[in-house]
Amino acid sequence: MKRVRYTKFTGDLSSSFGLEDLMQALSDFLLDSGFNDPYSRFQEFNDQTLQNLREAIREALDSGELFDEEAQEKYEALSEDQVEELIDQIIQKMQEQNFINAEQPQEGQGQQGDGNAEARFEVTDKGMDFLGYKALRELLGPLGKSNFGRHDTRHEAAGVETNGSSKLYEFGDTLNLDLTATLSSVFAREGIASVVEGEENTPLNIQYSDLQVHQSDYQSSCATVVLLDCSHSMILYGEDRFTPAKRVAMALSHLIRTQFPGDTLNLVLFHDSAEEVPVSQLSRVKVGPHYTNTREGLRLAQRILAKQNKDMKQIVMITDGKPSALTLPDGRIYKNAFGLDPLVIEETLQEVSRCKRSNIMINTFMLANDFTLMQFVQTVSAMCRGKAYFTTPQTLGNYLLMDFMSRRMKTIH
């Protein structure tokens, strides 16, 4: 009888840990927002070049968090050339498993390159999706059990999943007949005796008004625009507020795609102006020396939502500062960072009023506690019957995701 002897796997070190663990260890580097955190081990690698990726991988390997004890001893015994070869193998596997795409520098046509261009990389949709999944696990993990599902409303409709009640059939309803209620209507109109004492094969005279269909809870879809502030204040005052906001946007994207497949999510960045960016490009977004043009962000969000054929529409605005910029009719940017400028506030509130007329709810998450800012946010929420949360970067995810999964028809006092 042939016997097979199994021995312990002695493959290369690049196979001794999962790439998912590596992606999680590199998440701070991959989602860098331009904040100079002196406590971050990736503080010197603030650009997505392949050389910086190599250094970040080296930092993750040196930390001892990826290997077990035996593999860590083997890693520490490697020479410098062997470590470089190991990093090459890891990057190759990251590309093969579609976590990153490497971009080699290209010289422009008809131009002579200077030879200083660096090879770059970008996180793929799969990589962003994985980081979003991990962010969702981290944000919802401390909350305990959650009942995921589609968005419930107060309304009822004819459907397949019944709630025990019936209604008269109307044109367009799902023809999920309630036979008991339908026959009861026939017997009540014609009398039970005519049915029992009649001929054996006499058909029932069912009329249109007798048809009854089961009712189910009406569940609707929602179009969401995340309005993300990327002004310079998001990394000022010794605190990185932008990276937690990016993690929440990725987690919300993963939640919508997996649990609410009928919903849509768009991402809009607002600063001196505003632009829409794909969620897959969120890892590359950084803050800059910008002001806060809240009105322009609201205008772009309205144009996006106007194209969505959804029952519910909402704007989730994450910001830490007051409106301080305004796009004038001639295209110039009016800026005033001192106090609440009456012109900027008035134009911004007019845009909020347009959202209200379009039945767009605005939920605001303010990452600051200035009294005048709190008054402004409360005014916005009152105008659109939305919600206002004054939170911190550490608790932002819990508040936002719990609000998204709650019923939108509920009145908040």
Side-chain angles (χ1 to χ4, degrees), residues 63-75:
S63 68
E65 299 175 358
L66 296 177
F67 297 118
D68 56 25
E69 294 183 2
E70 182 178 352
Q72 184 66 27
E73 292 178 358
K74 292 182 179 179
Y75 171 73

Side-chain angles (χ1 to χ4, degrees), residues 123-413:
V123 183
T124 63
D125 290 346
K126 176 184 176 181
M128 288 296 296
D129 182 59
F130 173 77
L131 293 176
Y133 167 74
K134 285 294 186 181
L136 183 64
R137 288 282 299 271
E138 291 178 359
L139 293 172
L140 294 185
L143 301 179
K145 294 182 179 180
S146 297
N147 184 20
F148 288 171
R150 292 167 294 177
H151 309 294
D152 295 325
T153 68
R154 291 179 176 179
H155 310 291
E156 292 182 327
V160 177
E161 298 180 3
T162 64
N163 61 9
S165 59
S166 302
K167 64 180 288 288
L168 287 175
Y169 172 79
E170 297 179 14
F171 180 77
D173 288 345
T174 301
L175 196 57
N176 187 20
L177 283 178
D178 184 345
L179 294 178
T180 302
T182 300
L183 292 177
S184 297
S185 176
V186 175
F187 298 156
R189 191 186 70 255
E190 296 190 348
I192 187 65
S194 62
V195 177
V196 175
E197 299 174 0
E199 297 182 6
E200 183 177 355
N201 296 324
T202 300
L204 292 176
N205 183 22
I206 300 178
Q207 298 182 2
Y208 185 88
S209 59
D210 296 324
L211 297 179
Q212 300 271 348
V213 293
H214 290 291
Q215 286 200 128
S216 64
D217 294 328
Y218 177 71
Q219 295 176 317
S220 63
S221 57
C222 179
T224 302
V225 172
V226 175
L227 205 56
L228 189 56
D229 183 357
C230 60
S231 61
H232 194 49
S233 61
M234 293 288 279
I235 58 171
L236 285 180
Y237 316 114
E239 185 178 30
D240 182 8
R241 301 169 179 174
F242 193 60
T243 300
K246 290 204 296 186
R247 292 183 187 274
V248 167
M250 292 190 306
L252 191 57
S253 174
H254 183 85
L255 176 68
I256 287 177
R257 196 188 65 260
T258 56
Q259 303 298 332
F260 304 96
D263 287 13
T264 61
L265 176 70
N266 297 83
L267 177 65
V268 170
L269 304 177
F270 67 104
H271 36 87
D272 287 352
S273 58
E275 70 271 352
E276 181 183 6
V277 297
V279 178
S280 60
Q281 297 297 320
L282 189 56
S283 64
R284 290 189 169 188
V285 175
K286 297 184 179 182
V287 298
H290 304 302
Y291 289 75
T292 308
N293 195 339
T294 308
R295 177 203 179 199
E296 195 64 24
L298 292 173
R299 295 177 69 177
L300 179 55
Q302 287 181 79
R303 290 196 294 268
I304 294 174
L305 291 174
K307 302 176 183 178
Q308 303 288 346
N309 186 22
K310 301 296 181 182
D311 296 331
M312 296 185 293
K313 299 179 180 181
Q314 72 162 348
I315 295 173
V316 177
M317 182 166 61
I318 306 175
T319 182
D320 73 332
K322 61 184 178 298
S324 58
L326 186 68
T327 303
L328 300 176
D330 59 3
R332 292 180 300 153
I333 306 297
Y334 170 75
K335 304 173 183 178
N336 184 5
F338 300 97
L340 294 176
D341 188 287
L343 175 62
V344 176
I345 297 300
E346 180 183 359
E347 293 292 334
T348 303
L349 292 181
Q350 287 183 7
E351 207 60 45
V352 172
S353 180
R354 295 186 184 95
C355 291
K356 177 182 178 181
R357 291 195 295 269
S358 300
N359 294 322
I360 298 175
M361 181 185 295
I362 300 178
N363 294 323
T364 307
F365 293 83
M366 176 62 72
L367 305 178
N369 55 6
D370 183 82
F371 179 72
T372 55
L373 294 181
M374 293 173 63
Q375 286 186 317
F376 169 75
V377 172
Q378 289 172 345
T379 302
V380 172
S381 301
M383 291 177 64
C384 285
R385 303 180 67 179
K387 307 181 185 72
Y389 293 100
F390 301 92
T391 179
T392 64
Q394 291 73 31
T395 59
L396 168 65
N398 294 353
Y399 279 109
L400 195 155
L401 291 171
M402 287 301 292
D403 175 68
F404 186 83
M405 291 187 296
S406 65
R407 298 188 179 187
R408 286 173 174 71
M409 298 299 295
K410 183 167 53 180
T411 302
I412 303 297
H413 297 285

Side-chain angles (χ1 to χ4, degrees), residues 23 25 31 33 59 85 92 94 104 113 165 180 184 249-250 362:
M23 290 289 292
L31 299 177
S33 301
E59 290 284 343
E85 183 180 353
Q92 181 66 27
M94 293 176 70
Q104 297 298 328
S165 59
T180 302
S184 297
M250 292 190 306
I362 300 178

